[in-house]
């Protein structure tokens, strides 16, 4: 028999529980509904149309700087015509998901992404969050003045309601930082991302200058109660290797994402991948091109989109044309290649709380 005191306590708790139920119920329901799948620009899914995933690419970017332009400076129809053939090619290469890593304030254009996805059948992830690398050029002013919770609320709102009234939800969080220990404002943004992760299960991808910065990110995640496996270390190829192995062993996703035939880096990627295979950490590695288009110049409108970054003459293709054959030659088994191009990225970007 429960004592009278225990009975009273239980009654009081259940009354409080009833009052909270509608609020907690909706949040829990959402977490259940959008778990273990991918939140793409065309909706949530647990089944991708094809198995290959490109985990770090861009469609359009605009490097003018935060708050200097309110809308895309190109005509969407022209951009679509220019880029759509490359998505058709991806579909022929069995790509079922492309992770589009352009954050807000650097030209994120979710309506163009949706149109490309619907036309090609390739699913696309977009993101929420703010990019602090490049001396904060792409941070809006409120990133400096608002609290962790205020910033987290802005990103939660995009998750709950969609981005800029489109109803299109982000599929991950994207931030950016430079070298070494995170400056205060970047640490604040990462803490905000951790809070959103714990509520939504969205993976946190951070453009990261070097291995020391990546270590500091893992420290901050730990302080916020988030597991290292919620973090994608973007541009890990810039680190010589040992910190990559160390953090991969702790569960961090290592994104080697600037593979290009236009530069001399193919050997570097091959060597890093061999090192991961020898260390037993290939199961935490992602590979991608970081290809895309950027708006040229400072003109207000009518600007042209040009291929940017790694200068791949044919965007999104070098991994298929060169890296995979190279790795086969280096003794990688089919199962290794499938991990790199299919199961690793599928797991890294799946909506799942990792606390
Ligand atoms: Zn990128």
């Amino acid at each position: 028999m429960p004592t009278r005191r225990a009975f009273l306590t239980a009654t009081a708790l259940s009354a409080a529980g009833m009052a909270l139920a509608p609020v907690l119920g909706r949040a829990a329901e959402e977490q259940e509904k959008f778990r273990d799948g991918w939140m793409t620009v065309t909706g949530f899914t647990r089944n991708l149309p094809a198995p290959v995933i490109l985990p770090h690419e861009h469609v359009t970017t605009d490097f003018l700087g935060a708050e200097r332009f309110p809308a895309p400076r190109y005509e969407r129809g022209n951009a679509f015509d220019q880029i759509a053939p490359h998505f058709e090619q991806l579909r022929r290469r069995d790509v079922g998901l492309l992770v589009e890593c352009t954050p807000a304030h650097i030209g994120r254009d979710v309506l163009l992404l949706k149109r490309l996805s619907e036309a090609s059948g390739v699913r696309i992830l977009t993101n929420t969050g703010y990019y602090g690398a490049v001396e904060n050029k792409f941070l809006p002013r409120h990133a400096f003045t608002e609290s962790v919770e205020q910033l987290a609320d802005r990103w939660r709102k995009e998750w709950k309601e969609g981005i800029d009234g489109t109803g299109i939800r982000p599929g991950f969080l994207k931030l950016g930082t430079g070298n070494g220990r995170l400056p205060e404002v970047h640490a604040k943004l990462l803490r905000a991302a951790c809070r959103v992760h714990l509520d939504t299960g969205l993976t946190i991808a951070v453009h990261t200058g070097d291995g020391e910065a990546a270590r500091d990110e893992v420290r901050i995640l730990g302080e916020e109660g988030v597991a290292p496996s919620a973090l994608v270390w973007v541009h890990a190829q810039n680190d010589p290797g040992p910190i990559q192995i160390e953090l991969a062993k702790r569960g961090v996703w290592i994104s080697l994402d600037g593979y290009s035939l236009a530069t001399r880096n193919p050997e570097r990627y091959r060597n890093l991948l061999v090192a991961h295979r020898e260390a037993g950490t290939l199961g935490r590695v992602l590979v991608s091109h970081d290809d895309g288009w950027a708006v040229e110049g400072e003109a207000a409108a009518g600007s042209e989109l040009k291929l940017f970054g790694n200068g791949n003459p044919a965007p999104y293709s070098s991994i298929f044309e060169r890296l995979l054959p190279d790795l086969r030659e280096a003794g990688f088994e089919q199962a290794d290649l499938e991990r790199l191009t299919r199961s690793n990225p599928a797991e890294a970007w799946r909506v799942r709380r990792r606390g």
Side-chain angles (χ1 to χ4, degrees):
M1 283 288 284
T3 63
R4 184 176 157 76
R5 180 182 288 274
F7 174 77
L8 286 175
T9 308
T11 309
L13 280 175
S14 84
M18 276 165 63
L20 286 171
V23 180
L24 291 177
R26 265 199 305 277
E29 212 176 274
E30 282 240 310
Q31 228 179 48
E32 196 54 37
K33 194 162 124 199
F34 299 135
R35 206 180 47 142
D36 289 331
W38 301 274
M39 182 60 82
T40 75
V41 295
T42 49
F44 181 76
T45 184
R46 291 195 178 94
N47 298 300
L48 295 175
V52 176
I53 298 175
L54 287 177
H56 188 110
E57 306 294 344
H58 296 271
V59 170
T60 56
T61 46
D62 192 326
F63 298 113
L64 260 194
E67 305 194 16
R68 286 193 60 195
F69 62 98
R73 292 190 293 149
Y74 45 81
E75 204 278 304
R76 268 207 190 94
N78 292 343
F80 175 85
D81 292 344
Q82 193 175 349
I83 298 165
H86 300 281
F87 272 78
E88 282 157 25
Q89 170 76 343
L90 286 178
R91 194 63 187 84
R92 287 194 289 274
R93 285 183 157 140
D94 257 355
V95 174
L97 181 69
L98 178 140
V99 181
E100 212 277 345
C101 290
T102 307
H105 305 290
I106 316 187
R108 180 184 64 172
D109 183 353
V110 297
L111 290 175
L112 178 60
L113 299 184
K114 188 177 181 200
R115 191 170 162 199
L116 286 164
S117 181
E118 284 170 345
S120 65
V122 177
R123 295 279 196 152
I124 300 176
L125 301 187
T126 186
N127 63 85
T128 189
Y130 295 151
Y131 178 93
V134 199
E135 289 160 7
N136 302 326
K137 180 181 174 189
F138 303 107
L139 288 183
R141 277 185 284 275
H142 63 249
F144 297 92
T145 55
E146 290 188 353
S147 69
V148 170
E149 268 310 310
Q150 283 172 313
L151 290 160
D153 273 345
R154 286 180 183 269
W155 304 340
R156 283 189 193 107
K157 188 164 183 272
E158 290 201 332
W159 165 255
K160 283 184 199 142
E161 296 170 17
I163 293 165
D164 299 335
T166 61
I168 297 169
R169 295 180 184 226
F172 64 104
L173 290 139
K174 172 83 190 284
L175 309 178
T177 193
N179 293 351
R181 205 179 157 88
L182 269 60
E184 203 179 319
V185 63
H186 297 177
K188 179 176 74 173
L189 292 166
L190 183 53
R191 289 185 195 283
C194 287
R195 310 247 171 120
V196 177
H197 168 80
L198 291 173
D199 288 343
T200 62
L202 292 178
T203 298
I204 305 168
V206 188
H207 165 115
T208 300
D210 65 3
E212 285 307 325
R215 273 187 183 140
D216 203 39
E217 290 160 13
V218 174
R219 174 186 68 80
I220 292 167
L221 259 67
E223 288 175 8
E224 294 291 328
V226 176
S229 57
L231 178 69
V232 175
W233 172 3
V234 173
H235 308 324
Q237 69 272 9
N238 297 330
D239 174 86
I243 302 180
Q244 285 184 35
I245 306 282
E246 169 198 316
L247 295 186
K249 284 183 175 164
R250 295 183 62 189
V252 174
W253 294 101
I254 307 299
S255 184
L256 307 178
D257 49 34
Y259 187 79
S260 173
L261 283 186
T263 65
R264 286 199 205 152
N265 71 18
E267 294 73 25
R268 178 173 180 78
Y269 279 68
R270 180 171 155 152
N271 294 341
L272 287 170
L273 288 162
V274 167
H276 277 287
R277 189 181 54 173
E278 283 168 5
T281 49
L282 212 52
R284 306 309 289 184
V285 179
L286 309 170
V287 289
S288 213
H289 306 95
D290 201 14
D291 281 338
W293 288 261
V295 181
E296 285 278 301
E298 301 251 325
S303 301
E304 254 188 279
L305 284 168
K306 296 254 171 75
L307 281 172
F308 81 97
N310 296 307
N312 270 336
Y316 313 142
S317 62
S318 309
I319 285 175
F320 305 96
E321 287 170 8
R322 172 80 180 269
L323 181 65
L324 298 179
D326 255 14
L327 293 177
R328 276 194 197 96
E329 197 189 284
F332 280 60
E333 310 269 340
Q334 185 59 23
D336 294 330
L337 303 183
E338 288 187 2
R339 265 161 125 192
L340 285 172
T341 56
R342 301 178 183 204
S343 52
N344 287 357
E347 179 56 29
W349 301 103
R350 203 171 260 143
V351 177
R352 182 184 291 167
R353 193 174 189 267
R354 296 149 173 124

